[in-house]
Amino acid sequence: MENHIQIRNLKVRIGSTEIIKNADINIPDGQVTAILGPSGCGKTTLLRSMNRFLDLTENSRVEGEVFLDGQNIYAPGVDVTEIRRRIGLLAQRPYSLPMSIYENVAYGLRIHRVNQSKNLKPIIRHYLELAGLWDEVKSRLSDPASALSIGQQQRLCLARGLALEPEVILADEPTSALDPISAQHIEGKLQELKEKYTIVLVTHTLRQARRLADHVVFMYLGEVVEQGPAREVFDNPQMERTKAYLQGSIG
Amino acid sequence: MKRMTRRHLEELIAQGLMFLSLALVAGSLGWILFTIIQRGAPALTWDMITKTPKGGFYMGKEGGVLNAILGSLYLALGGTVAALVFSLPISLGLNIYIPRKSRWALLVRSLLDVLWGIPSIVYGAFGFTLMLALGMRASLLAGIITLAFVELPIMVRAMDEVLRRMPRDLENASYAMGATRIETALRVVLPQMLPGLVTAVMLAFGRGIGDAASVLFTAGYTDRIPTSLMDPTASLPLAVFFQLSMPYPEVQKRAYAAALILTILVLLVSFLSRWISARLSRYSIK
């Protein structure tokens, strides 16, 4: 089994606080890796280290290496925009862009000049279908994206990200702001998408992790406590803190 | 029970104070407006807005202030466009390119705040010095340049305050897709913040069109309508000033009519820009 992303000796500081202390993590190719741990353990920061999003956080300092297909994304001269094209992000709350539904999906294609053809409609349709939104929006593609419900907007964000043909999808608690039906919808989509993409999922819901994850990374106070195949970690945790978390006594 | 009455009393006092402030301000502004309308409306004839001053206009003979109306529009529109060309990059730079709390940003903001407080006659004197150095005469162009300086601090600071309220997560949604800063600024931040930015431009335009002192030396005053950027030009605030200082009541009434025209112009431009921004902002994310 190949590792799509390898993290080596990663240390992240924001201001004077050490958020991640020396993490070594393997994200296997073509699987769902769930990052688990109590609030404030550094899950989101870890996720943000994988698409160079910490660059946008003032006073953040990153040490160590993050390899994407063997290439260190923190090496000098790396094109950050290309890294972010290859690694999509599905955020906690959907933020549609201030443009039409159609233009939201076309946005990435336009900025990366992926497709220069005038008529993007077949492509837009394909990705909206992939995200399971096409039928609901096909008659109103030129409406503002903000007119959609929050669950629909999350699927729009998914379509928008998929349109860039990323290799990896980072999902930061993608269902936590949604109603149960929409959450189920997104979860189902992630389930389908793992056939084709490597997915890294940060989640607060243990049950969601059990349903989706093939691989698990358990973090506690900025350290990786345990990582491995989901079944092993869930059924037979090696570390005390993992056991305690899984039993619900911490977190 | 005692606590409740106290809270009710607080509420009453607060409401009273708010109402009093509003009444005081609305009352005095309304009074100004009333005076302008009362004295200006009778003198606001069709000739006033369609004719330039004829011989003896300043002694009560026929003519109008078309020269000042067009002059003011040219000056203020030109000054606003010139200020916009610089304000937009500066305010975007302050909010997107450099860390918000950096010393540079603080320095630039303080500088602009100081510039905002400088009386416009000083800008006029500065513009005049600049003109002399460049060998220019009082002209529409010199007036536009000076007005641009007057408007710039207002426009930049107002835009800056607008752009500061840009939701970070929305901006990040664009970066997460691999957009560069300029792509994010132009395709996401500008459309999202457009209504606020239009208001900023309007504030600056309002100050520009109403300003007399800065164009006094730089744009000059003439009874003709300018036909080139190098021609001197009249403006409404100066038309008001000159006519008010005449000893003839007819001319003084026309000063109020000119002030009324100025007020109506600002109102029209304000409505127009709001209408445009409402149409353009249908895509913004609430």
Side-chain angles (χ1 to χ4, degrees), chain B residues 69-83:
Chain B
I69 296 174
L70 288 178
S72 262
L73 280 176
Y74 292 161
L75 282 167
L77 287 176
T80 304
V81 169

Side-chain angles (χ1 to χ4, degrees), chain A residues 28 46 64 76 80 124 126 140 145 155-156 161 196 212 219 245 249:
Chain A
L46 179 67
V80 181
I124 307 281
H126 171 74
R140 48 174 178 146
R155 278 179 280 149
L156 182 66
K196 217 182 137 195
L212 287 174
M219 292 187 69
Y245 180 76
S249 46

Side-chain angles (χ1 to χ4, degrees), chain B residues 7-273:
Chain B
R7 291 177 61 207
H8 280 301
L9 193 68
E10 258 175 29
E11 187 64 24
L12 268 174
I13 292 172
Q15 277 185 19
L17 282 174
M18 290 173 206
F19 181 77
L20 200 70
S21 316
L22 178 70
L24 221 61
V25 172
S28 32
L29 291 180
W31 191 13
I32 297 175
L33 210 59
F34 177 75
T35 312
I36 294 174
I37 294 172
Q38 189 201 23
R39 300 201 190 168
L44 187 59
T45 56
W46 187 244
D47 275 7
M48 271 297 277
I49 54 173
T50 54
K51 285 192 179 154
T52 54
K54 302 287 178 269
F57 176 70
Y58 298 102
M59 284 177 301
K61 300 248 173 64
E62 74 178 58
V65 290
L66 183 65
N67 59 327
I69 296 174
L70 288 178
S72 262
L73 280 176
Y74 292 161
L75 282 167
L77 287 176
T80 304
V81 169
L84 181 62
V85 167
F86 292 95
S87 298
L88 209 52
I90 295 172
S91 54
L92 284 172
L94 277 176
N95 285 282
I96 295 180
Y97 281 83
I98 59 177
R100 287 185 187 187
K101 285 176 192 155
S102 80
R103 277 189 201 158
W104 271 105
L106 188 71
L107 185 73
V108 173
R109 288 193 177 106
S110 324
L111 200 68
L112 288 165
D113 286 344
V114 171
L115 286 175
W116 194 340
I118 291 178
S120 57
I121 188 78
V122 177
Y123 284 97
F126 170 73
F128 189 65
T129 321
L130 202 69
M131 266 166 54
L132 291 182
L134 295 172
M136 281 166 75
R137 290 184 311 132
S139 61
L140 181 55
L141 183 64
I144 285 175
I145 294 172
T146 311
L147 272 185
F149 277 109
V150 173
E151 292 185 25
L152 202 72
I154 304 165
M155 209 189 278
V156 176
R157 284 297 277 127
M159 285 184 167
D160 182 38
E161 289 302 323
V162 169
L163 292 177
R164 270 203 231 206
R165 295 202 316 267
M166 173 72 195
R168 269 279 129 130
D169 290 329
L170 182 52
E171 205 179 316
N172 285 347
S174 172
Y175 294 134
M177 301 189 64
T180 59
R181 288 183 198 272
I182 189 70
E183 285 160 350
T184 305
L186 298 180
R187 291 168 184 255
V188 178
V189 177
L190 283 192
Q192 175 69 17
M193 297 322 235
L194 198 66
L197 295 175
V198 170
T199 305
V201 173
M202 270 314 300
L203 274 176
F205 176 84
R207 163 110 198 238
I209 201 167
D211 200 67
S214 60
V215 291
L216 183 61
F217 308 128
T218 53
Y221 200 88
T222 165
D223 287 349
R224 280 194 299 276
I225 295 166
T227 51
S228 93
L229 281 171
M230 292 306 158
D231 285 352
T233 181
S235 53
L236 281 168
L238 289 178
V240 175
F241 175 66
F242 290 145
Q243 293 180 110
L244 263 186
S245 44
M246 290 290 156
Y248 314 105
E250 301 94 320
V251 181
Q252 287 180 359
K253 274 185 194 143
R254 284 179 185 166
Y256 283 100
L260 187 56
I261 293 169
L262 185 60
T263 312
I264 293 168
L265 273 182
V266 173
L267 199 67
L268 283 180
V269 174
S270 165
F271 278 140
L272 187 72
S273 61

Side-chain angles (χ1 to χ4, degrees), chain A residues 200-216:
Chain A
V200 186
L201 172 74
V202 165
T203 179
H204 259 121
T205 335
L206 253 180
R207 273 177 298 173
Q208 185 176 57
R210 282 184 196 272
R211 285 193 297 267
L212 287 174
D214 307 300
H215 197 84
V216 167

Side-chain angles (χ1 to χ4, degrees), chain A residues 48 51 53 56 58 81 84-85 87 89 95-100 104 107-108 110-113 142-146 160-161 164, chain B residues 98-102 167-170 172-181 183-184 187-189 191-192 282-286:
Chain A
R48 286 170 161 240
N51 66 346
F53 233 48
L56 301 172
E58 279 169 34
T81 61
R84 293 188 190 143
R85 190 198 64 73
I87 304 184
L89 175 71
Y95 274 93
S96 305
L97 301 173
M99 47 191 86
S100 69
N104 259 272
Y107 183 72
R110 294 199 201 283
I111 59 173
H112 289 285
R113 292 164 186 87
S142 57
D143 279 11
S146 56
R160 179 175 86 187
L164 289 173
Chain B
I98 59 177
R100 287 185 187 187
K101 285 176 192 155
S102 80
R168 269 279 129 130
D169 290 329
L170 182 52
N172 285 347
S174 172
Y175 294 134
M177 301 189 64
T180 59
R181 288 183 198 272
E183 285 160 350
T184 305
R187 291 168 184 255
V188 178
V189 177
Q192 175 69 17
R282 69 184 279 255
Y283 290 116
S284 60
I285 306 296
K286 274 102 206 165

Side-chain angles (χ1 to χ4, degrees), chain A residues 178-197:
Chain A
L178 308 182
D179 61 277
I181 307 274
S182 302
Q184 212 174 20
H185 217 122
I186 288 286
E187 218 183 283
K189 279 295 150 196
L190 291 177
Q191 194 78 259
E192 287 170 30
L193 291 169
K194 76 179 189 183
E195 302 294 322
K196 217 182 137 195
Y197 302 90

